[in-house]
Amino acid sequence: MSTPLVRLRLDEATAKRVADVLEDAFPFGEASIAAFEVTKDDWSVEVYGGPEATADELAAALREALGPESAGLRIEADAIEEADWVAKSLAGLAPVPAGRFVVHGSHDRDKVPADVIGIEIEAALAFGTGHHGTTRGCLLAIDELLTERRFERVLDLGSGTGVLAIAIARAQQSPVLATDIDETSARIAGENAEANGAGAFVESIHATSFDHPVFAERGPFDLIVANILAGPLVELAPDVKGHLAPEGRVVLSGLMNHEEERVLAAYVAEGLALVGSRQLEGWSTLVLKG
């Protein structure tokens, strides 16, 4: 059985932007996306689809996701044998350092320094491998916050692969509640926590809203991290505030730079104050306090 592959050759800035757009455009598990350097001035974006689609269909979906920007891009459609596609998609993903953390695939396990916290995540099924400005921005913000204080009640809202929950649990050796509206994501986050030695601390739950009883049982939280999208972040502002402990901290990402003002306004309206921000590859990470 073969797997469809679509490849684009771009400059570095365009490659990273295109990869970010595609990660947000394709539903969870529908495609694996990798952006990596080929030569100094040449980057590749590779998109691997599921076996139910052809390479031409994947290319058409990619063009639709990119809109008018796709008109000027050279898009190559191909197919590779299923046995090779995961290895090929991972080969271009180098370890990603973020403060005390390094996110890596199993192929780079031996490259992780002994003095950092290595988080091993495979890219076959999930957004949140660390190779995205939002995930790295959150990890850097978490690294800074954990130098200031210990957080006893932690929520990773929209946990995806569980990278952020694992990072906090490993750094503090303390419980973290990880939730996601996607049942597959919640399962994978739990599996990743087990694989990274954080299974005893990370509880991964499928929860479609704050009405789930686990939030009342485990809250109020003194740290909430939410790496999702700008629209849901705005909608969730009252619930996040309602489940935040006094003097708690909130880390928000998944928003592009131009969306920062709108998201921040929603949380300021709930009484939170901005204490830090960072922009990486066109994406913003906000840190607020209650």
Side-chain angles (χ1 to χ4, degrees):
M1 185 179 294
S2 63
T3 294
L5 163 65
V6 175
R7 181 186 295 108
L8 303 87
R9 289 294 177 88
L10 308 162
D11 61 86
E12 179 179 359
T14 306
K16 290 180 177 179
R17 185 177 72 254
V18 166
D20 286 344
V21 171
L22 294 177
E23 277 196 329
D24 289 336
F26 283 98
F28 183 91
E30 189 173 284
S32 177
I33 300 160
F36 52 91
E37 185 178 32
V38 178
T39 66
K40 181 179 179 182
D41 300 313
D42 186 22
W43 276 59
S44 179
V45 176
E46 295 185 353
V47 183
Y48 299 80
E52 69 283 351
T54 67
D56 288 339
E57 289 170 341
L58 182 62
L62 182 148
R63 290 189 181 94
E64 182 179 356
L66 293 176
E69 186 173 9
S70 68
L73 302 180
R74 180 167 60 92
I75 300 175
E76 303 171 5
D78 199 357
I80 59 174
E81 290 307 306
E82 184 175 304
D84 298 332
W85 82 275
V86 172
K88 287 178 67 68
S89 70
L90 292 174
L93 296 179
V96 176
R100 76 186 73 181
F101 308 110
V102 173
V103 184
H104 64 93
S106 59
H107 60 297
D108 280 323
R109 189 179 299 155
D110 60 347
K111 298 179 183 178
V112 178
D115 60 345
V116 302
I117 297 174
I119 303 172
E120 186 171 305
I121 303 290
E122 300 297 11
L125 259 188
F127 173 92
T129 60
H131 299 79
H132 190 286
T134 60
T135 306
R136 185 163 180 264
C138 285
L139 287 171
L140 289 168
I142 289 167
D143 182 47
E144 293 176 356
L145 286 171
L146 297 188
T147 65
E148 299 172 6
R149 59 182 277 199
R150 181 179 175 87
F151 296 91
E152 300 296 339
R153 291 175 176 260
V154 179
L155 168 64
D156 179 4
L157 182 67
S159 53
T161 58
V163 168
L164 306 182
I166 293 166
I168 297 166
R170 291 276 306 279
Q172 292 197 141
Q173 295 290 292
S174 63
V176 178
L177 173 64
T179 69
D180 203 286
I181 63 173
D182 182 271
E183 191 169 0
T184 302
S185 297
R187 175 180 58 80
I188 289 176
E191 293 172 354
N192 284 337
E194 288 285 349
N196 280 274
F201 299 108
V202 175
E203 180 182 6
S204 185
I205 298 291
H206 172 226
T208 57
S209 75
F210 271 99
D211 291 334
H212 193 293
V214 72
F215 295 106
E217 293 167 2
R218 298 285 295 274
F221 303 95
D222 50 5
L223 174 61
I224 299 176
V225 297
N227 181 17
I228 44 180
L229 295 172
L233 286 176
V234 170
E235 294 176 8
L236 289 169
D239 284 320
V240 169
K241 168 61 176 177
H243 290 80
L244 186 67
E247 298 298 315
R249 297 292 186 269
V250 176
V251 177
L252 305 176
S253 199
L255 56 142
M256 301 190 76
N257 291 350
H258 69 271
E259 298 170 318
E260 183 175 321
E261 185 175 346
R262 177 166 67 100
V263 173
L264 178 58
Y267 286 80
V268 169
E270 296 296 328
L272 277 70
L274 182 69
V275 294
S277 66
R278 152 182 294 109
Q279 291 76 39
L280 291 174
E281 302 168 9
W283 300 86
S284 294
T285 300
L286 307 177
V287 180
L288 305 104
K289 68 176 181 179

